[in-house]
Amino acid sequence: MLAHKRVVVIGLGYVGLPLAVALAKSTEAWGLDVDTGRIAELQRGHDRTGEIDADRLAVSSLRLTTDPAACPGADFYIVTVPTPVDADNRPDLSIVMAATRTVAKMLVAGRRSIVVYESTVYPGVTEEMCGPELERISGLVCGTDFFLGYSPERINPGDREHTVDRITKVVSGQTPEVLDAVADLYGQVTTGGVFRAASIKAAEAAKVIENAQRDINIAFVNEITQIFARMDLSVWDVLAAAGTKWNFLKFEPGMVGGHCIGVDPYYLAHRATELGLDPRIILAGRDMNDGMADWVANEVHAWHGAAAGRVLVLGLAFKQDVPDLRNSKVADLVAAFRGLGHAVDVHDPLVSAEEARHEYDLDLVETPAGPYDLVVLAVPHRELVEGFAQFAGLLGNTGGIVDLKNVLAAKGQLPRDAKIWTM
């Protein structure tokens, strides 16, 4: 058992906080985050991501701080910070490298700590970039004074079934002994067991292909959606029929955003390019998915008569029932509608108005006021779907409803004789 061990989790977002709370059940756990506002709200018992409720925070023994110096020497340092892409879709490792430098200053000679990365990276980053940086800053020797591990995060925001304490956790370590220690640590966290990857690079690679695989499959469905639209054929009808085959993969069309599926394939593509390879399938999938917002806007514009009007877009988050709006493709949809001459209001009861303004320069409308020419259900938050009648009531006489995920009819939320567009 590792009850006597000490762990510091660096980064307390969607990934780090649930992990730190789970670790605190069996070991002394510290949570470190540079965002003073984030730490303050957690100390008040509020998690803005909605992953950990107030009751769990209240009873957790997790110790929270923004000061690395406040953390005592630890046996494990687990890095769970974001790894986004830049404006040119190239890997941006600045945050993970900043966290690495923070950890380096916390390492204690003689303790032989293990530094585990959960942040999504391409194969080689942990050992070829993070390890040398830890050595440079700390003055210690990797593989002698401290060791490396990698365990890719598998958090699915808003998913209450596949939580960190239930999923299979892939683990890896620099040596067999380190692998045993990392496996032991995570084995106490999850009932789903651990899978010992053959190497750190194998674990890094597993993470990027998990999301690249989903991205490519969704891109295929998005492409056939566009093909069938030219035939006046509903992709939903086609998928319903094809889905009766036992081995058909049930992916749906949509705008692929967020901080994983819409980002991680670029990490693998970047590394492939460095190796002199042309990652055609990966980048083709990305190109298809990144273009869906423009395609939807143009299709809806033509369907509605190619006349500019007032549009109400419902939902800004990157997926339903979460407040996270990072890399949301709804922002691209809004820009596309505005580019076609429409005046667009955006309403999302879950996301922060301040974050929407900061991230996308969008001012959310708290109480939409009609009449609107189009009401677009872009993100089917439960609250928006169940209360859709109030938004449908804001339509003008010739107005139309756009249901991107085709959920309103099944939920009995479509007004009688409604003019409806879906993919």
Side-chain angles (χ1 to χ4, degrees), residues 10-229:
I10 298 91
L12 296 176
Y14 275 98
V15 175
L17 180 65
L19 175 64
V21 169
L23 284 165
K25 293 180 180 180
S26 58
T27 190
E28 180 186 336
W30 288 71
L32 174 65
D33 199 292
V34 297
D35 185 346
T36 56
R38 174 68 168 155
I39 293 298
E41 73 178 17
L42 291 176
Q43 290 173 333
R44 294 193 302 269
H46 173 64
D47 170 25
R48 72 180 76 153
T49 70
E51 294 297 312
I52 304 294
D53 60 36
D55 290 342
R56 286 185 66 192
L57 281 175
V59 299
S60 176
S61 61
L62 176 65
R63 307 177 191 194
L64 301 165
T65 184
T66 60
D67 181 10
C71 300
D75 302 288
F76 291 90
Y77 295 91
I78 303 179
V79 178
T80 63
V81 298
T83 44
V85 291
D86 64 17
D88 296 317
N89 291 323
R90 294 175 302 195
D92 178 1
L93 295 171
S94 61
I95 302 173
V96 77
M97 295 311 293
T100 295
R101 289 188 284 274
T102 295
V103 171
K105 296 172 184 176
M106 301 168 72
L107 293 175
V108 178
R111 188 152 196 139
R112 295 167 62 83
S113 301
I114 300 173
V115 184
V116 181
Y117 288 84
E118 290 215 0
S119 304
T120 302
V121 293
Y122 53 80
V125 168
T126 299
E127 294 167 292
E128 296 166 16
M129 296 181 66
C130 297
E133 187 70 351
L134 288 167
E135 284 188 322
R136 186 182 73 82
I137 299 294
S138 69
L140 302 176
V141 178
C142 184
T144 300
D145 300 314
F146 69 89
F147 301 88
L148 299 173
Y150 187 82
S151 179
E153 61 90 359
R154 282 177 166 171
I155 293 293
N156 183 24
D159 188 337
R160 296 296 176 260
E161 178 182 355
H162 302 100
T163 52
V164 71
D165 56 342
R166 297 176 182 174
I167 60 171
T168 300
K169 206 72 169 70
V170 173
V171 296
S172 61
Q174 191 171 5
T175 68
E177 293 75 20
V178 170
L179 176 58
D180 286 343
V182 175
D184 193 9
L185 179 71
Y186 282 100
Q188 291 188 65
V189 171
T190 179
T191 59
V194 297
F195 177 86
R196 297 173 181 236
S199 65
I200 288 176
K201 286 184 179 179
E204 291 170 323
K207 172 57 180 176
V208 287
I209 71 163
E210 287 172 15
N211 285 332
Q213 182 187 69
R214 287 186 57 79
D215 193 46
I216 291 166
N217 277 287
I218 296 170
F220 168 73
V221 177
N222 280 337
E223 183 167 71
I224 64 171
T225 297
Q226 296 184 19
I227 294 170
F228 295 150

Side-chain angles (χ1 to χ4, degrees), residues 13-15 48-51 153-160 207 211 214-215 218 252-264 286 289-290 313-333 346-352 355-356 359-360 362 364 377-381 384 404-405:
Y14 275 98
V15 175
R48 72 180 76 153
T49 70
E51 294 297 312
E153 61 90 359
R154 282 177 166 171
I155 293 293
N156 183 24
D159 188 337
R160 296 296 176 260
K207 172 57 180 176
N211 285 332
R214 287 186 57 79
D215 193 46
I218 296 170
E252 295 182 349
M255 299 184 299
V256 183
H259 49 89
C260 288
I261 299 178
V263 171
D264 296 352
R286 281 283 72 237
N289 289 340
D290 275 348
V313 172
L314 299 174
L316 181 60
F318 86 88
K319 66 177 290 189
Q320 66 193 66
D321 298 327
V322 302
D324 193 345
L325 44 69
R326 289 176 292 172
N327 194 32
S328 170
K329 296 306 176 183
V330 180
D332 293 347
L333 180 65
V346 183
H347 172 72
D348 191 318
L350 299 189
V351 308
S352 161
E355 288 185 30
E359 291 291 329
Y360 304 112
L362 288 175
L364 297 183
L377 182 61
V379 185
H381 295 317
L384 294 177
L404 293 189
K405 299 302 289 185

